[in-house]
Amino acid sequence: VLAVTYRLEPDGRPRVRYADLEQHLAARGVATPSLAEVRASILDIRRGKSMVLDPDDPNRRSCGSFFLNPIVSPEECARIEARAGDAAMPRWRQTDGRIKLAAGWLIERAGFARGTRAGPVGLSTRHTLAIVCHDGARARDVLDLAARIRDRVEARFGVRLVPEPAFWPTGALTRL
């Protein structure tokens, strides 16, 4: 990130549009949250996924959420659900009629459990969408694990996961 622009309103009300956040606030009994309450809930949620810097967290060297949640047509969603054999597959209808799927759910169902290790890299013990570096990890180790995950999800569900990070130089990820 090279620049960020914010548009803030004095005494503005937060816009809560994230299911995990809505559930967390509801569990805390907060119906109309302040910005501070939203911030506290977001930090709790992210901490629970090892996505807050914490020197005592074994997942602290996370590369973050590594893949975007795929957005597919309703027909593709039906095909993927049939391949998954699970009508409870998480999904969220988008305003344009397409459907967002949970990349972490697909990764787990493709055989990658939380905490799976591949040498000096692995998946977070808390969240399968995050790749974690351990002692001796190199960028190539991260990319190799990401490619294995992407390929297995594609073989299992016919969905090709797209990396969330931007790679520099732009051609650095030709194999992924």
Side-chain angles (χ1 to χ4, degrees):
V1 176
L2 300 176
V4 176
T5 302
Y6 294 99
R7 185 180 58 191
L8 303 175
E9 300 173 23
D11 300 316
R13 301 301 311 164
R15 294 182 186 106
V16 178
R17 297 185 195 129
Y18 180 51
D20 283 355
L21 180 56
E22 290 171 352
Q23 293 167 1
H24 192 273
L25 289 165
R28 293 177 48 211
V30 180
T32 54
S34 67
L35 290 173
E37 289 167 324
V38 168
R39 178 184 184 277
S41 284
I42 289 170
L43 286 172
D44 284 350
I45 292 165
R46 303 306 278 179
R47 189 172 288 107
K49 295 178 180 181
S50 291
M51 294 184 174
V52 173
L53 292 178
D54 178 352
D56 295 326
D57 186 342
N59 300 300
R60 70 186 168 276
R61 290 190 258 170
S62 169
C63 298
S65 293
F66 204 85
F67 293 103
L68 295 169
N69 289 321
I71 299 176
V72 299
S73 70
E75 297 78 22
E76 290 172 298
C77 183
R79 180 185 48 76
I80 294 163
E81 180 185 324
R83 288 178 82 165
D86 188 348
M89 178 179 75
R91 68 198 84 191
W92 301 271
R93 185 165 294 282
Q94 304 298 289
T95 56
D96 65 1
R98 294 181 306 157
I99 299 166
K100 181 187 285 190
L101 304 177
W105 189 91
L106 295 168
I107 291 166
E108 287 182 18
R109 295 328 179 272
F112 292 94
R114 294 174 187 185
T116 296
R117 290 276 301 254
V121 297
L123 295 177
S124 167
T125 58
R126 295 185 180 175
H127 188 32
T128 54
L129 198 51
I131 294 178
V132 175
C133 296
H134 301 286
D135 289 341
R138 300 174 321 214
R140 176 80 290 157
D141 300 319
V142 172
L143 296 179
D144 288 347
L145 176 59
R148 284 185 42 223
I149 292 168
R150 185 218 43 220
D151 292 348
R152 194 175 309 167
V153 167
E154 187 170 18
R156 171 77 173 86
F157 298 106
V159 177
R160 188 170 183 87
L161 296 179
V162 174
E164 188 168 350
F167 296 95
W168 182 260
T170 55
L173 198 58
T174 55
R175 292 191 324 167
L176 189 62

